[in-house]
Amino acid sequence: MGRPGGGEAMGRRGGVDAFGNNKGGSGKSTLLFQLACSAARADPAGEVLVVDLSLYSDATTLLMGGTARPQVLAASDGAQAALDATRPATRAEGLLRALAAGEEQAKAEPSGFFSGGWNPFKAQAGAGGAKALDLFEFSVAPHASNPAIPENLRVIASCGKLPLEEGEWQAAAERLSEALAALPETCQVYFDTDHLAAAPVSKMAFACANKIVLPMSLDDNDFSRMFIDPTGNSIWGVMQELQDKGLLRAKVWKLVFNRVTALRNEKTEHEGIDSPFTPARACLDQMDAICRQLFECYNGSGFQLFYDGGEVATQRQFNEKYVTAFRSASETTMNIAKLSGSPFCSLKAQKMSVGKVVCDLSRAGLQIEALQQGVQDILKIL
């Protein structure tokens, strides 16, 4: 499971994006899945690394084979493939233990977790012999079990255990930052974070990434829950706490309104909101209303939670800089994509069967093309 390429420990052109939202069902794992696969396919000479830090393991499941199950109480095909292809030491569980322990402790792990003398810390060329964690040592190539995924995409799989304690995440974040800097310069990294935004793994990702991508629904109650969460996991509250402590490296890059009803494929602009398609009028109005609330909330603080927030002075500037949309897909198309672990970039207008489910996409050619173009439009923005 070693590194599939070279690359010196130098500055990288590839970015590090964290997808976050404490509201379950916002679509962060699904959007990450689509974007990561399309990014890998668009740049076969580069590398894409997905780091799944969600207890639900949705990104892992989609990448490794999909959500289909042989029977109701069985593991999904994707989850089972991830378990078969890894062991605890070589997936997210092992990564977190190594990040928390550090090099010397990983060498002398008394429990044998890093067995066989294997130590994932590697000497980095040009770094004076300094050691940084080799993230590729924890990754697998989904293509081996799911041919719909590009060969140059790898995933650090989550299989339900994320052992990082509150007192460990800051040291882990420092080691993870070093590991990210040591990746090949063409490697693009996508973090999926947990719906528990205050979990140590989520805060670690926000402290290491360059940008935060925030998928959002058009539901006002979902929006409010991002601020007021009785469990203490509101995404905006967690980011503000990290910012106040000087620990928030990643700032909000884009608010992506997800599953928006499209009227036409033509690009449109509404109150500064740039959409690669034409949403229904009611959707545009709701997007505008939510953005106005965000502008009012963060105007007084100079938009310190947003990337280059100091450049924003008006509502239109806010909308132009931070807001975009992704169109909805039909239930049939989305269902077969998830069941089979097939990103839009690999879907074809044909009949498909996954287990006992048969879906006819033979008449969905135009929709599939529009979805593929929508993903490309978001990638250009990111």
Side-chain angles (χ1 to χ4, degrees), residues 43-109:
D43 183 16
E47 295 168 306
V48 171
L49 177 65
V50 173
V51 184
D52 192 350
L53 297 179
S54 170
L55 285 168
Y56 286 106
S57 311
D58 289 333
T60 295
T61 298
L62 291 170
L63 288 165
M64 294 298 293
T67 61
R69 302 171 186 273
Q71 55 191 26
V72 175
L73 299 180
S76 66
D77 291 345
Q80 188 60 55
L83 287 169
D84 293 342
T86 63
R87 54 191 175 91
T90 57
R91 51 184 181 242
E93 181 180 351
L95 169 63
L96 295 172
R97 292 197 184 194
L99 289 171
E103 178 192 358
E104 295 305 320
Q105 185 61 32
K107 286 180 179 178
E109 180 68 46

Side-chain angles (χ1 to χ4, degrees), residues 218 257 270-273 282-293 315 319:
L218 292 173
F257 285 98
H270 175 74
E271 300 295 335
I273 298 174
C283 296
L284 284 170
D285 290 342
Q286 182 62 4
M287 290 162 64
D288 185 43
I290 289 175
C291 290
R292 288 185 182 280
Q293 294 180 70
Q315 179 74 61
N319 293 352

Side-chain angles (χ1 to χ4, degrees), residues 1-344:
M1 296 183 189
R3 175 175 295 181
E8 296 182 349
M10 300 174 64
R12 296 166 41 252
R13 293 193 300 272
V16 182
D17 298 343
F19 288 66
N21 194 319
N22 62 290
K23 177 62 182 67
S26 62
K28 60 181 177 63
S29 300
T30 304
L31 187 61
L32 179 153
F33 167 67
Q34 299 294 348
L35 292 170
C37 291
S38 289
R41 176 163 292 192
D43 183 16
E47 295 168 306
V48 171
L49 177 65
V50 173
V51 184
D52 192 350
L53 297 179
S54 170
L55 285 168
Y56 286 106
S57 311
D58 289 333
T60 295
T61 298
L62 291 170
L63 288 165
M64 294 298 293
T67 61
R69 302 171 186 273
Q71 55 191 26
V72 175
L73 299 180
S76 66
D77 291 345
Q80 188 60 55
L83 287 169
D84 293 342
T86 63
R87 54 191 175 91
T90 57
R91 51 184 181 242
E93 181 180 351
L95 169 63
L96 295 172
R97 292 197 184 194
L99 289 171
E103 178 192 358
E104 295 305 320
Q105 185 61 32
K107 286 180 179 178
E109 180 68 46
S111 67
F113 188 83
F114 300 107
S115 59
W118 172 65
N119 180 31
F121 289 85
K122 302 292 184 182
Q124 299 301 322
K131 301 277 182 88
L133 200 67
D134 186 350
L135 296 179
F136 282 113
E137 289 287 334
F138 301 90
S139 70
V140 292
H143 182 82
S145 61
N146 182 8
I149 306 303
E151 295 183 62
N152 59 328
L153 185 152
R154 297 182 71 89
V155 59
I156 297 177
S158 168
C159 294
K161 291 184 179 181
L162 300 174
L164 189 66
E165 301 298 327
E166 181 62 33
E168 297 175 328
W169 77 262
Q170 290 189 46
E174 292 180 5
R175 296 184 182 113
L176 180 55
S177 293
E178 294 172 356
L180 290 168
L183 287 173
E185 63 175 10
T186 56
C187 183
Q188 174 71 41
V189 182
Y190 295 97
F191 281 101
D192 197 11
T193 61
D194 200 65
H195 72 291
L196 300 174
V201 287
S202 299
K203 292 191 285 190
M204 180 186 69
F206 299 148
C208 293
N210 303 127
K211 299 175 289 189
I212 295 175
V213 180
L214 205 59
M216 298 169 59
S217 80
L218 292 173
D219 185 277
D220 194 67
N221 188 54
D222 288 354
F223 172 67
S224 297
R225 197 171 299 179
M226 294 165 64
F227 288 88
I228 304 172
D229 187 333
T231 68
N233 283 284
S234 69
I235 182 72
W236 293 105
V238 169
M239 287 192 294
Q240 188 64 61
E241 177 186 355
L242 293 175
Q243 170 68 21
D244 292 343
K245 294 180 179 179
L247 299 173
L248 184 68
R249 176 180 179 181
K251 302 296 181 75
V252 175
W253 178 260
K254 280 295 175 181
L255 308 168
V256 182
F257 285 98
N258 205 12
R259 305 188 190 99
V260 176
T261 301
L263 289 181
R264 295 182 300 277
N265 291 332
E266 290 85 359
K267 184 176 180 179
T268 189
E269 184 272 339
H270 175 74
E271 300 295 335
I273 298 174
D274 190 16
S275 172
F277 59 95
T278 303
R281 179 70 193 200
C283 296
L284 284 170
D285 290 342
Q286 182 62 4
M287 290 162 64
D288 185 43
I290 289 175
C291 290
R292 288 185 182 280
Q293 294 180 70
L294 284 170
F295 182 83
E296 292 174 4
C297 182
Y298 289 107
N299 186 33
S301 66
F303 305 101
Q304 59 185 202
L305 300 184
F306 295 80
Y307 197 93
D308 288 337
E311 298 177 1
V312 175
T314 67
Q315 179 74 61
R316 176 170 284 276
Q317 289 175 343
F318 178 90
N319 293 352
E320 290 174 345
K321 192 171 184 65
Y322 300 117
V323 186
T324 190
F326 188 70
R327 64 192 304 142
S328 61
S330 73
E331 292 182 1
T332 300
T333 303
M334 183 58 75
N335 192 38
I336 197 67
K338 289 186 175 183
L339 284 171
S340 63
S342 299
F344 296 145

